[in-house]
Amino acid sequence: MARRHETQPLPTAALAVSSAAPAHLPAVRPVPDRPAVRYGPDPADVLPAQRGGDGRRGANAAAVLRTVLDHGPVARTTIARLSGLSPAAVSRQYLDLARLGLVHERPGAATGGAVGRPQVPVDIHTCGPLVGGVHLGVPFSTLCLVDLRGRTVAHEYLDGPGAGGRRSAGTLGALRERLPGFLAERAAGRPVLGVGAITGGWVDPSRGTVVRHTPLGWVDVPLRAELEGACGLPVLVDNHARAIAQSEILFGRPQARRSVVHLFVGSVVDAALGIAGVVHQGPRSAAGDVAHLPVADADAPCPCGRNGCLQAAASDEALGARAVAQGVLDRPDAFRLVELAAAGDEAADRLVRGRIRLVARAAALLLDVLNPDLVLVTEVSVLRHGHYLAALREEVLRHSRVCDDPERVAVSHAGERALQTAAGAAVLAPLYRDPLLFASRAGAVR
Ligand SMILES: [Zn+2]
């Protein structure tokens, strides 16, 4: 560990504290001696005993921060009314959170209507600390920085290994090499609280490993340790389908907090389930593997040995291969096919709609089994083009036996930035769950 910190250059600009932020703003220090960081994705991870008796203080801080997230800019009296805390408690929590750089006053955004002394509303400090994000994809990976509302501030793409898996070490090597420089250059002096790293397949956040990513050929890759060694910041990893569900719960449609199912269809096919604001992980965080769900009328051979698995039939690679086989493209590229289809190419459009039908059947099955308030689908054609989203909704409703409301089927609130917001959410979710605990674990306070 120590040797890595000596040999890896630290992101110096990302470590600097901006002049706009309090001088003791935390979390950007690499803290080489800190104990193993475990920001578990489950509230059960946050036990009062771990807080050293500060459980109530942490819960109150979270209540204030979440109220500001949902209603900011908002007056302190309104925060007190919405959170059920006393005005004095709100003021104390505000000071704690402002000291960490998470909230600030916005004098220009007066809420008005208050009797007596006018109040300066408070809001999430979106021009303050940032969170880094990494999405490891097959055709390309994405680096990003998001603000405390999960909105992209900067992003950059890195070429991926393709679907062969042979250059997977190259992907991770390229990420390790570029991540510190990206954070330093693009954060431009703003503090970076940590980095969320997401990818498809089986990802175990508590161990920080990618247990299995078939298209990349990864088995038990210690992604968290690799990236922490490279950038010197806390890194949290998660599956990308769960992270998109989490980002919708945090920043998206209110109904996602009641229940949400998310189906991700790209180079891998994954699902995620969130109930009452918690994304389900299950034993060893294996929840969400729908890659081998049998699909009717599909006979594509799957690496698992069977035919007609959802991932083998509906992945970007399968779609690209079909386009090449039918002479629509000269090389497999699902993204290019979708743009060709959207521009009016009839053969491309047939292929895109064929995949939408497969996706819709899987989404309808999940919808009927789990009956969530919201079904999110992440697939390139429905993400980019409204008429393909409309086609998906129509197909889902045709197959579902419980849903007759097309609005229950949607894409992420973040649209084409869904994966960037999701990568940030891997860090922002534990931050909003318990900001004081998060800050202390990041070496920021106490
Ligand atoms: Zn299979």
Side-chain angles (χ1 to χ4, degrees):
M1 198 67 184
R3 188 181 57 79
R4 270 211 306 250
H5 282 286
E6 284 162 18
T7 52
Q8 293 291 335
L10 291 169
T12 47
L15 302 184
V17 174
S18 97
S19 56
H24 46 285
L25 237 174
V28 286
R29 286 180 285 127
V31 202
D33 294 323
R34 70 192 152 78
V37 177
R38 296 279 188 278
Y39 308 109
D42 193 290
D45 182 57
V46 184
L47 301 171
Q50 289 178 283
R51 293 172 168 153
D54 275 349
R56 180 178 296 172
R57 185 177 154 215
N60 288 352
V64 170
L65 188 61
R66 289 291 291 262
T67 305
V68 177
L69 174 67
D70 291 346
H71 301 278
V74 58
R76 286 175 177 77
T77 47
T78 310
I79 298 172
R81 180 168 55 78
L82 292 169
S83 66
L85 296 171
S86 71
V90 169
S91 288
R92 275 197 306 277
Q93 300 309 332
Y94 172 79
L95 287 176
D96 270 354
L97 295 168
R99 192 164 51 84
L100 294 168
L102 305 177
V103 294
H104 67 158
E105 291 187 324
R106 285 187 54 194
T111 52
V115 179
R117 195 157 54 98
Q119 289 201 332
V120 180
V122 303
D123 205 352
I124 298 295
H125 195 195
T126 51
C127 46
L130 296 169
V131 166
V134 173
H135 175 248
L136 278 126
V138 174
F140 60 90
S141 290
T142 310
L143 303 177
C144 65
L145 281 159
V146 303
D147 68 18
L148 296 177
R149 287 191 180 277
R151 295 178 301 210
T152 302
V153 171
H155 72 286
E156 182 176 306
Y157 299 113
L158 292 178
D159 280 342
R166 291 189 177 173
R167 291 175 49 212
S168 56
T171 311
L172 191 52
L175 267 178
R176 282 179 50 100
E177 198 173 307
R178 179 57 191 144
L179 182 60
F182 169 81
L183 296 174
E185 291 157 24
R186 305 301 295 275
R190 291 167 69 175
V192 180
L193 298 175
V195 176
I198 60 173
T199 189
W202 182 357
V203 181
D204 186 345
S206 63
R207 289 169 56 221
T209 56
V210 178
V211 180
R212 184 175 62 215
H213 189 304
T214 307
L216 285 177
W218 282 16
V219 177
D220 282 328
V221 172
L223 182 61
R224 178 176 65 204
E226 289 282 344
L227 296 183
E228 284 188 346
C231 70
L233 292 167
V235 173
L236 301 174
V237 305
D238 206 350
N239 166 276
H240 59 195
R242 290 197 296 251
I244 287 178
Q246 180 66 70
S247 72
E248 194 71 19
I249 288 168
L250 264 181
F251 306 116
R253 298 171 185 79
Q255 59 266 44
R257 294 190 185 176
R258 295 196 292 272
S259 54
V260 58
V261 163
H262 173 224
L263 180 60
F264 183 99
V265 180
S267 292
V268 295
V269 177
D270 293 316
L273 167 66
I275 294 181
V278 177
V279 179
H280 181 64
Q281 303 274 343
R284 299 175 63 206
S285 299
D289 188 344
V290 292
H292 304 280
L293 200 71
V295 180
D297 307 327
D299 56 2
C302 179
C304 78
R306 294 200 305 256
N307 287 346
C309 296
L310 181 58
Q311 184 166 296
S315 71
D316 283 352
E317 281 65 28
L319 181 63
R322 275 201 293 279
V324 172
Q326 295 185 16
V328 181
L329 292 179
D330 52 6
R331 60 185 173 81
D333 185 336
F335 290 73
R336 222 177 107 226
L337 183 74
V338 166
E339 292 321 305
L340 204 59
D345 185 292
E346 286 180 16
D349 181 69
R350 268 196 302 278
L351 284 164
V352 169
R353 288 177 187 272
R355 172 160 82 168
I356 287 173
R357 280 194 292 277
L358 292 173
V359 173
R361 283 187 175 197
L365 176 68
L366 293 171
L367 203 166
D368 287 359
V369 170
L370 300 161
N371 195 29
D373 291 83
L374 182 67
V375 177
L376 289 184
V377 173
T378 301
E379 186 267 359
V380 59
S381 75
V382 302
L383 211 51
R384 288 185 176 176
H385 302 287
H387 65 286
Y388 288 133
L389 175 59
L392 174 80
R393 285 172 161 164
E394 196 181 313
E395 283 290 320
V396 171
L397 263 53
R398 210 159 68 80
H399 289 287
S400 170
R401 301 172 73 88
V402 304
C403 175
D404 57 6
D405 176 7
E407 298 295 318
R408 279 173 70 187
V409 181
V411 296
S412 160
H413 75 283
E416 291 192 54
R417 298 280 172 91
L419 283 166
Q420 298 168 29
T421 295
V427 172
L428 291 169
L431 172 76
Y432 278 102
R433 200 149 47 229
D434 193 334
L436 304 185
L437 179 67
F438 180 95
S440 69
R441 285 177 169 187
V445 294
R446 289 175 291 186

